[in-house]
Amino acid sequence: MANKLAPEIEIALKAYFDSIDTNKNGLVDKNELTKALRAANLNVTPRIAERMIQICEHNAAGEIGFNEFARLSLTLEQIKQIFQTVDEDRNGRINDTELGRGLLDLGFNFNRQIFTLIMKVVDVDQSGTVEFEEFIDLSLFLTAITQSFNRLSNKENATVNLDALIQIFSACGVRLPREAVSQAASTQNSFNFNSVVVIVFGLLDNLRNTSRH
């Protein structure tokens, strides 16, 4: 997919951005973005919109300008194309096999153990399928983990320490006490990318199970 908008699309997108920028400050926040995405028939929550902003923003102000909005639009279009490709029966849901192919297309090559854990967390209603909005959320969440890991990792051995692991949680919008992350990390002192994914999704699974009881 091209990483630059065609001029006519950019003009239309800028007009749309201006229309959702309700206070005309050249920025949109999570509430404005949520409303815009819902108007585009994407049933996203403010939490998902906030994650989108976290991935795109540069000033940590919780708002994005048009350039970030344009990049986000390209990202969402890429995710949509991948989802439609793997959703072979076009029912708006993908099963675990299709989800695996979709994640691979996004560049995430997980083993079966990690993939099963991810599917367990994403498939909230335990239907065995994932809807498009859930696929968007997962894709953006994994992107946030990847960006934080790449920024914080030791470039020599591609690992992060416990302090960096806690920062990754925070960057992904998951606020947990240091003790909880440390306990999940067990006796490890350094973590590669797959280890980070296992710890993050393992803790999310534990939190969900705890909330059910």
Side-chain angles (χ1 to χ4, degrees):
M1 178 180 170
N3 57 10
K4 187 176 181 180
L5 294 168
E8 62 274 15
I9 295 178
E10 185 172 356
I11 292 172
L13 194 62
K14 182 63 167 65
Y16 185 62
F17 177 86
D18 291 340
S19 72
I20 64 175
D21 176 18
T22 54
N23 60 1
K24 305 306 177 186
N25 67 343
L27 300 167
V28 296
D29 60 21
K30 68 177 181 181
N31 294 322
E32 292 169 322
L33 183 59
T34 300
K35 185 177 180 180
L37 293 172
R38 287 178 177 174
N41 296 319
L42 285 178
N43 187 28
V44 301
T45 64
R47 179 183 59 81
I48 296 177
E50 184 176 18
R51 196 187 319 282
M52 293 177 180
I53 290 175
Q54 287 175 338
I55 291 172
C56 294
E57 68 176 332
H58 297 298
N59 58 6
E63 298 173 312
I64 55 174
F66 174 69
N67 289 337
E68 291 84 9
F69 182 76
R71 286 198 297 271
L72 175 61
S73 299
L74 286 169
T75 299
L76 291 177
E77 181 61 27
Q78 180 185 34
I79 294 173
K80 179 181 177 181
Q81 289 180 4
I82 291 173
F83 186 89
Q84 290 178 337
T85 298
V86 299
D87 180 21
E88 295 180 348
D89 54 9
R90 298 292 187 270
N91 67 347
R93 296 172 176 267
I94 55 177
N95 58 32
D96 58 348
T97 300
E98 293 169 330
L99 177 60
R101 293 209 314 271
L103 291 180
L104 190 60
D105 286 346
L106 286 168
F108 300 108
N109 187 15
F110 297 123
N111 62 36
R112 188 67 191 178
Q113 177 187 3
I114 298 176
F115 174 73
T116 300
L117 176 60
I118 291 174
M119 183 69 182
K120 185 179 179 182
V121 172
V122 175
D123 183 18
V124 179
D125 59 2
Q126 299 181 327
S127 64
T129 59
V130 173
E131 297 179 354
F132 178 50
E133 288 80 10
E134 293 170 326
F135 185 67
I136 289 176
D137 191 23
L138 173 61
S139 302
L140 294 173
F141 190 66
L142 287 171
T143 298
I145 294 175
T146 303
Q147 289 181 349
S148 297
F149 181 88
N150 290 341
R151 176 171 53 85
L152 297 167
S153 63
N154 182 321
K155 299 304 183 289
E156 292 183 1
N157 55 16
T159 61
V160 295
N161 58 24
L162 180 60
D163 288 334
L165 178 61
I166 293 171
Q167 290 183 57
I168 290 173
F169 270 90
S170 179
C172 295
V174 181
R175 304 289 189 266
L176 288 172
R178 180 184 180 88
E179 293 74 17
V181 179
S182 180
Q183 184 176 1
S186 188
T187 58
Q188 287 182 261
N189 296 316
S190 62
F191 315 89
N192 61 26
F193 179 75
N194 281 1
S195 297
V196 170
V197 171
V198 168
I199 292 171
V200 170
F201 280 88
L203 274 173
L204 289 176
D205 185 41
N206 289 338
L207 287 172
R208 182 166 296 164
N209 290 335
T210 300
S211 66
R212 288 172 178 167
H213 295 92

